[in-house]
Amino acid sequence: MMDRQEQNWIAAAQTGDQDAFEQLVRLYEKRVYALTSRMCRNPADAEEAAQEAFLAAWQGLPFFRGDASFSTWLYRLASNACVDVLRREVRHQAAASLDDEDAAIDLPDGSLSPHDEAERAELRQHIENGLAALPPDYRQVLILRELHQRSYDEIADILSLDLGTVKSRINRGRKRLRKILLESGNFSVPPASKESEKEGCK
């Protein structure tokens, strides 16, 4: 839910107020970059996608009607920008290939010893590497679901997909990611709960 200050910035930016739009950029830039940095293959591409997303937001604000939340709309623009960047990368480097409500990948919580903290960091790196190896369609939905905690409905809205398609991609993407991680031989990944599997297959 948007607070009143954010609504005021949006309304002002829609009339061409650049200072108001700058406030919106400051409010969302870290979250947008967190998304693009995981979807893109390198920091330069992630930065480019984030900039393109905010440029698209500035150009599209006069037409923003609030049917979805501003954050959902901005995530959609960022996701589309990442897809565009990845497509350009494929064209420029033809030899390169792009490679439930309960989370299927659980990282431990609470106070950790230095040894446990190191293991957790290693696990997180393996997960990041596994996500990078997935096809873009699966990588998109898993990043939004597992790392950004977006609901299935929000993901469907962000990516302009049917809810059933989102659930199917999440289910298949989790299985492929689990296979990649298990094949690394360094650790095992807990299976999704029955409720999560059931949710993903609806």
Side-chain angles (χ1 to χ4, degrees):
M1 184 72 70
M2 290 187 293
D3 61 29
R4 185 169 297 277
Q5 180 63 74
E6 183 180 349
Q7 290 176 331
N8 290 341
W9 286 334
I10 292 170
Q14 286 180 308
T15 67
D17 187 330
Q18 293 186 5
D19 290 336
F21 183 70
E22 179 62 28
Q23 294 298 326
L24 291 171
V25 172
R26 291 177 181 174
L27 181 63
Y28 284 103
E29 60 185 348
K30 289 183 179 178
R31 280 174 275 182
V32 167
Y33 184 72
L35 175 64
T36 61
S37 65
R38 288 186 169 109
M39 285 191 179
C40 295
R41 295 170 65 88
N42 58 65
D45 286 348
E47 181 66 29
E48 180 182 355
Q51 290 177 358
E52 288 187 7
F54 283 116
L55 176 60
W58 172 248
Q59 294 172 337
L61 260 175
F63 310 101
F64 175 68
R65 295 290 176 262
D67 296 330
S69 69
F70 181 78
S71 63
T72 295
W73 180 66
L74 188 55
Y75 264 66
R76 182 187 305 150
L77 295 176
S79 178
N80 290 341
C82 289
V83 171
D84 289 342
V85 167
L86 290 172
R87 283 174 179 163
R88 287 201 295 271
E89 181 182 343
V90 170
R91 287 198 297 269
H92 294 159
Q93 301 176 6
S97 61
L98 286 171
D99 310 303
D100 101 355
E101 294 299 316
D102 293 327
I105 302 167
D106 296 317
L107 297 180
D109 295 321
S111 299
L112 299 175
S113 68
H115 176 72
D116 288 339
E117 191 64 50
E119 286 190 343
R120 180 176 181 177
E122 182 180 1
L123 173 58
R124 190 179 300 276
Q125 186 59 54
H126 280 300
I127 291 171
E128 295 280 358
N129 292 342
L131 285 168
L134 289 173
D137 287 349
Y138 294 151
R139 184 163 69 236
Q140 280 183 325
V141 294
L142 284 184
I143 287 171
L144 289 169
R145 175 64 199 148
E146 305 290 3
L147 302 181
H148 290 268
Q149 301 298 305
R150 310 303 284 196
S151 71
Y152 290 119
D153 287 332
E154 287 176 317
I155 295 170
D157 200 2
I158 288 167
L159 299 178
S160 299
L161 295 172
D162 292 335
L163 185 59
T165 301
V166 169
K167 291 178 178 179
S168 174
R169 287 186 184 178
I170 287 175
N171 187 43
R172 292 176 183 176
R174 281 172 171 166
K175 289 178 179 177
R176 291 186 66 158
L177 178 59
R178 192 177 299 123
K179 184 173 185 290
I180 290 170
L181 296 179
L182 289 172
E183 286 176 350
S184 72
N186 295 315
F187 57 92
S188 61
V189 181
S193 68
K194 289 184 180 179
E195 286 301 315
S196 181
E197 292 285 1
K198 199 180 301 179
E199 180 69 23
C201 294
K202 287 181 183 177

